Amino acid sequence: MAGTIFILNGPNLNLLGQREVDVYGATTLGEIEEACRTAAAPLGYAIEFRQSNQEGELVTWIQEAREQAVGLVINAAAYTHTSYAIPDALATFDGAKIEVHLSNIFKREVFRHHSTLSNQVDGVICGLGPKGYVLAIEAIAEIAGS
Ligand code: CA2
């Protein structure tokens, strides 16, 4: 096993597939988790997939990742645009980090155009739907394996 990748999801993403299907698609978070496991297994990585509606819990999980993970994928949802605690926590994580958004945040309201996280991660993927999570895992495998 090459190690564990933490995949952290922020507020309201537990509702995927139930509401706002026109914006976020019909795929549920459970189905995204399944796709992540399917993508990670042949690359030799285990997945720790979590969702929280609370900023502090996401911070605690990033700190946990420092001890347990070689890589981290984060969709911080609306905290992307408001948080200072999450980028501070990300700065302490030395492994590979990718920020993911299902929607193209740059095609949406102006308040979504700025991410407080982006300067603390190796890469950002947005607008590709659930495929973005799979691409993030592949990117982490490449970064962490090099
Ligand atoms: O596009 C993304 O992945 C976002 O991170 C999703 C966030 C949004 O605040 C960001 O600007 C972009 C919102 C997630 C809310 O998810 C819902 C899912 C179903 C129904 C309602 C909300």
Side-chain angles (χ1 to χ4, degrees):
M1 187 59 66
T4 300
I5 299 172
F6 270 38
I7 304 180
L8 304 182
N9 296 280
N12 297 308
L13 287 166
N14 53 311
L15 299 178
L16 279 178
Q18 298 173 36
R19 303 285 306 269
E20 298 199 41
V21 170
D22 51 323
V23 183
Y24 299 117
T27 308
T28 66
L29 197 61
E31 288 166 342
I32 291 176
E33 177 174 356
E34 219 28 66
C36 288
R37 290 190 190 285
T38 301
L43 297 170
Y45 289 90
I47 293 296
E48 186 63 37
F49 194 98
R50 301 181 187 175
Q51 186 275 333
S52 177
N53 292 328
Q54 282 153 31
E55 185 176 13
E57 191 160 36
L58 292 164
V59 168
T60 299
W61 291 344
I62 294 166
Q63 292 181 8
E64 205 181 309
R66 297 176 69 228
E67 311 296 324
Q68 297 177 24
V70 297
L72 192 153
V73 177
I74 184 160
N75 183 349
Y79 290 139
T80 301
H81 318 296
T82 63
S83 178
Y84 295 107
I86 291 173
D88 278 357
L90 286 172
T92 72
F93 180 79
D94 291 331
K97 315 165 239 201
I98 307 284
E99 173 184 351
V100 169
H101 300 287
L102 293 160
S103 64
N104 180 351
I105 55 176
F106 301 104
K107 261 178 104 175
R108 302 185 62 195
E109 303 97 317
V110 169
F111 80 88
R112 296 186 202 276
H113 295 185
H114 179 68
S115 164
T116 64
L117 280 57
S118 297
N119 63 358
Q120 298 298 342
V121 294
D122 295 297
V124 182
I125 299 170
C126 80
L128 302 180
K131 179 84 196 286
Y133 284 76
V134 169
L135 293 172
I137 290 167
E138 290 171 2
I140 282 177
E142 209 164 296
I143 297 166
S146 63

